[in-house]
Amino acid sequence: MNKIVFKQDLAPDIKKIVLEAPLVAKKVLPGEFVVLIVDEKGERVPLTVVDSDKEKGTIALIFQEVGKTTYKLGELKVGEVILNLLGPLGRATEIKKLGTVVTVGGGVGIAEVYPVTRAFKEAGNSIISIIGARTKGLLILEKELRRMCDELFVTTDDGTYGRRGFVSDVLKETIGSTKADLVYAVGPVPMMRVVSELTRPYGIKTLVSLNPVMVDATGMCGSCRVSVGGETKFGCVDGPEFDGHLVDFAQLEKRLNLFSEQEKRAMECFKSKGTEG
Ligand code: NAD
Ligand code: FES
């Protein structure tokens, strides 16, 4: 259990691993996540389940090496085992036939958009996907998404591939010319905020998948709280998806930056000494 059976570099600092996790593979639904503890001293890392195979009893995860724990995870080799795996957690995406669904993925958020896009396609929706990265080498899952989308648009901030600009530039044109029944967006907070502001005047239902800081991931500690429509919600048990028109993105951003100094120091220490920092 929890053994890595496949590992792939998708882009610099972005890796895919496939793990033996038969119980999770059997139950997991699009939008749900797992929490990993890499070793005895490891923090908990929440990661969306990107893919699963019930027959083989495996799940696929994609992560960006952004801090000490994700670097440690990235250092594990095929055959090695992750200490603990908890899940599936969170509320699954409500998948139904709506008409036209526009999925928007920014950077590593594309990994989260992928299983939801596939599920909406399988439910009979017409799918327009818009994915973007800072530069060509950071773009992930283009081929896989192209296979399941009716239309796929690609952007890079620097214009090295696809259209130059942000995913939101393409979304603006898309919702101006096509009737969209749902927009589903995952990526950096500023991107999800902009997407939600673009769809608001059109009244298009917009779901965003948030990544607040999580500790216990069971609704007990409160670290993942987010303000949605003036109410406090917990990302781990009430989310991770919320109505983008109701999310207080400014507060989310502030809370995400709360531990950035400590994270930076732990990372520097880990890199320089290879210790626990
Ligand atoms: P990034 O900064 O490279 O941005 C990716 C794309 O998002 C850009 O190419 C652009 O198209 C769009 N974008 C960025 N800023 C924008 C803005 N101001 N307006 C409109 N569009 C904008 O993203 P990255 O480095 O891959 O992602 C890093 C961030 O995303 C991290 O903060 C990470 O925590 C977050 N993230 C969130 C989730 C989630 O569940 N919400 C999942 C994965 C990553
Ligand atoms: Fe503790 Fe959500 S992570 S309540």
Side-chain angles (χ1 to χ4, degrees), residues 14 48 64 66 105-110 112 131-135 138 155-157 165-169 185-195 208-212 240 256:
I14 304 180
T48 298
Q64 190 173 29
V66 284
V108 74
I110 299 169
E112 270 137 86
I131 56 171
R134 268 171 277 150
T135 191
L138 292 176
T155 65
T156 49
D157 302 7
F166 285 167
V167 283
S168 48
D169 301 330
V186 191
V189 174
M191 181 209 105
M192 294 189 284
R193 181 200 290 134
V194 170
V195 164
V208 291
S209 178
L210 305 183
N211 60 332
L256 281 172

Side-chain angles (χ1 to χ4, degrees), residues 212-225 234-237:
V213 175
M214 288 192 194
V215 178
D216 68 327
T218 61
M220 301 293 283
C221 73
S223 68
C224 66
R225 63 185 181 273
F234 291 160
C236 64
V237 289

Side-chain angles (χ1 to χ4, degrees), residues 149-184:
C149 294
D150 296 274
E151 279 186 277
L152 176 78
F153 298 96
V154 178
T155 65
T156 49
D157 302 7
D158 63 3
T160 45
Y161 187 59
R163 183 169 150 181
R164 185 191 197 102
F166 285 167
V167 283
S168 48
D169 301 330
V170 176
L171 178 69
K172 193 173 174 181
E173 290 168 14
T174 306
I175 56 177
S177 60
T178 311
K179 186 190 160 292
D181 298 286
L182 175 74
V183 170
Y184 184 94

